[in-house]
Amino acid sequence: IHIVEGRVVNAEWGSLRGEEAFFALVMKGDTGRFEVDPDSPPPAEQVITSDPEMLLLQAMHRLDEEREQ
C-alpha cells in the first residue's frame, strides 16, 4: 500500500493493483507481514483517488459481507 502525504495512492498485491489490491490486503486480516519503508520511491502514478476514510469503510463493509456468508 503506497501512502503519500496521508493519501492512499496505490496498492499492489499479486496480480491486483489499485483499490482491489487494497481491499484484498485489508481482508487478509492479521495474516501476512507488513513493513514500512520510508525510503521507498513513490509510485509512478496515482491509481487510487478515493478518500482514505471511504476506502476503509468499503473494506470494512466487504469484511462484514464475507463474515455473513
Side-chain angles (χ1 to χ4, degrees), residues 3 5 18-20 24-25 28 32 35 64 66 69:
I3 300 171
E5 296 179 8
E19 288 185 7
E20 290 305 314
L25 287 165
K28 287 180 63 69
E35 296 180 8
D64 286 344
E66 183 177 278
Q69 295 178 355

Side-chain angles (χ1 to χ4, degrees), residues 23-39:
F23 296 139
L25 287 165
V26 170
M27 293 179 77
K28 287 180 63 69
D30 60 357
T31 61
R33 182 169 168 240
F34 295 91
E35 296 180 8
V36 175
D37 183 1
D39 297 322

